[in-house]
């Protein structure tokens, strides 16, 4: 089975440009997720969050979440 994870922590990124969080936010790291396991994050700080899979970052497993401020 293939293990995945999600992180937006620049300190563990192969390329720090693959990770970013708004200034007031706290970085997240799911740890390894076995098949079928779920990980969730609640984004409370508006801004752009760039994240990656530590194991597959070099293969382009990257994502972006944009959190709009509340009206």
């Amino acid at each position: 089975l293939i293990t995945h994870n999600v992180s937006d922590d620049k300190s563990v990124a192969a390329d720090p440009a693959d990770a970013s969080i708004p200034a007031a936010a706290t970085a997240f790291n799911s740890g390894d997720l076995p098949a079928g396991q779920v990980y969730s994050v609640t984004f409370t700080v508006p801004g752009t969050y760039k994240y990656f899979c530590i194991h597959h970052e070099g293969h382009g497993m990257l994502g972006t979440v944009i959190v709009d401020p509340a009206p």
Side-chain angles (χ1 to χ4, degrees):
L1 295 175
I2 297 173
T3 300
H4 295 286
N5 57 41
V6 291
S7 178
D8 64 359
D9 185 347
K10 286 184 180 202
S11 72
V12 297
D15 181 351
D18 290 339
S20 70
I21 59 174
T26 301
F28 64 82
N29 188 330
S30 69
D32 287 348
L33 300 169
Q37 188 174 357
V38 175
Y39 175 77
S40 66
V41 174
T42 301
F43 299 98
T44 58
V45 177
T48 300
Y49 296 76
K50 291 174 63 177
Y51 64 94
F52 59 96
C53 173
I54 293 171
H55 302 294
H56 303 102
E57 179 183 0
H59 297 285
M61 194 170 281
L62 313 168
T64 303
V65 173
I66 298 171
V67 179
D68 288 331

